[in-house]
Amino acid sequence: MSRQTLVRLMMFTSLILAPLFVKAETLRVVSSEFPPYSFTDDHRLSQGIAVDLVKQLLDELNLQVPIEIYPWARAYEISQRKANTLIFLIARSPEREAHFKWVGPLIDFNVRLFRLKFRSNIAPAQLSDLKQYKVGSLIQDIKGQYLRKQGIPTIEYASEQTGILMLVRGYIDLMPAEINSFRYRVNQLGFDMADFEVALPLHEISRPLYLAFQKDTPDELVVRFRDALTELTATH
C-alpha cells in the first residue's frame, strides 16, 4: 500500500469515526434570546438566522443535538459549567479569552446606542459624554462590560425587551443594542422604529459574534467544529 493511499484511508476512517467520537460525549448547545438571530417561537422551538446556521453545522457533523435558548446571563453561566458545551453568538473579548475555546465567527455584530427620537437633548458626541446620562445594559453582556470599563455606569436589566420598555418610559436615556436585533424587538413590542434613533455608534465592540466551547472541551472536538464551520461559511 502506497503512503498516499494510506493517508487517504486514515482520513476516510477519521471521518467515519468522528461522529461516533462526538456522540460518545455529552454535547450541549446553548444560545440566548437574540432575535432575529436566535429565539424561541410560540411552540418553544429554536429559530433564527444563527440557529439555522448552527443546525446546518450540526448536520454536517452528523449530530442530533437540541439547541437550547435562554436569557443571556443564564446561557453564559451554563456555557462555563462543563466540557463539551457550545455557546453561540458570544462576543470575543480579552476578559473572556481564557474561559473558552473559540471555534470561529458566525455573524456580524453592529452595536449602536439608541435614544427616543423626540429626546434631542440627549446628544453624546463621544463616549465620555455618556457619564451625564442614564445608560442601560443587559446583565453579563459585552456592551455593558465595555461601557463600564470606559468608566460609564450602567443600569442593568435582564432582557433587551425590558431595556426598550425602560427607554420608552424614561427610566434610562440610552440603550446599547445590535441594530437588527433592536429593530426586531421594537416591532415585536408594538412600537414604531421611527420613534427611535441612533445617538452614538459603538465601533469598538462592533465585531463578529462567535461560537465557542467551554475551556475544558477536548481540542479534537473544537477542531472538528472549526473545520466544519470553515466549510459552511465558505458556501454562504
Side-chain angles (χ1 to χ4, degrees):
M1 181 182 297
S2 70
R3 180 181 177 82
Q4 187 176 17
T5 302
L6 180 60
V7 169
R8 287 178 178 173
L9 180 60
M10 290 174 66
M11 290 176 64
F12 178 76
T13 303
S14 175
L15 288 172
I16 293 297
L17 293 178
L20 296 177
F21 172 82
V22 177
K23 287 177 183 177
E25 303 289 343
T26 302
L27 182 64
R28 191 171 187 183
V29 181
V30 300
S31 189
S32 64
E33 290 283 352
F34 187 45
Y37 303 106
S38 59
F39 60 96
T40 49
D41 62 19
D42 294 338
H43 303 288
R44 304 303 300 167
L45 298 174
S46 302
Q47 305 287 350
I49 299 167
V51 168
D52 289 344
L53 289 172
V54 173
K55 286 178 178 178
Q56 290 179 53
L57 182 65
L58 293 169
D59 287 343
E60 288 295 319
L61 292 164
N62 296 321
L63 291 169
Q64 299 296 317
V65 182
I67 295 174
E68 306 169 42
I69 307 291
Y70 298 101
W72 168 251
R74 187 176 178 196
Y76 186 73
E77 187 272 328
I78 290 171
S79 72
Q80 297 182 81
R81 287 183 194 167
K82 294 181 179 180
N84 305 324
T85 301
L86 177 72
I87 184 170
F88 63 97
L89 301 186
I90 179 172
R92 190 170 185 172
S93 68
E95 295 79 10
R96 292 174 177 173
E97 188 68 28
H99 295 286
F100 296 93
K101 289 184 177 177
W102 301 89
V103 176
L106 190 64
I107 65 165
D108 290 331
F109 186 53
N110 299 308
V111 186
R112 307 287 186 268
L113 274 164
F114 290 91
R115 71 180 179 198
L116 290 172
K117 192 170 186 177
F118 79 88
R119 299 193 66 186
S120 57
N121 60 308
I122 300 172
Q126 54 194 3
L127 278 177
S128 58
D129 295 340
L130 298 178
K131 295 177 183 178
Q132 62 186 296
Y133 302 115
K134 294 177 291 184
V135 182
S137 70
L138 187 65
I139 295 172
Q140 291 279 17
D141 185 60
I142 191 72
K143 299 184 288 294
Q145 292 169 357
Y146 167 73
L147 291 171
R148 289 189 294 274
K149 194 174 179 179
Q150 309 306 311
I152 300 156
T154 64
I155 299 170
E156 292 190 313
Y157 35 78
S159 72
E160 294 205 330
Q161 287 95 326
T162 299
I164 292 170
L165 293 173
M166 291 174 68
L167 186 64
V168 168
R169 294 167 183 170
Y171 295 118
I172 58 175
D173 301 319
L174 293 158
M175 175 181 172
E178 197 277 334
I179 189 166
N180 293 317
S181 181
F182 184 81
R183 183 182 296 111
Y184 183 96
R185 293 176 196 275
V186 164
N187 293 333
Q188 191 178 46
L189 288 169
F191 298 122
D192 188 341
M193 189 63 191
D195 293 330
F196 302 84
E197 67 181 9
V198 173
L200 191 71
L202 295 179
H203 295 303
E204 268 197 59
I205 52 171
S206 292
R207 298 171 182 172
L209 296 180
Y210 277 70
L211 295 99
F213 273 105
Q214 192 267 1
K215 63 183 179 65
D216 297 322
T217 301
D219 290 338
E220 294 86 350
L221 183 56
V222 179
V223 169
R224 285 199 181 101
F225 269 78
R226 190 175 293 147
D227 290 345
L229 179 62
T230 299
E231 290 187 16
L232 179 65
T233 54
T235 63
H236 284 74

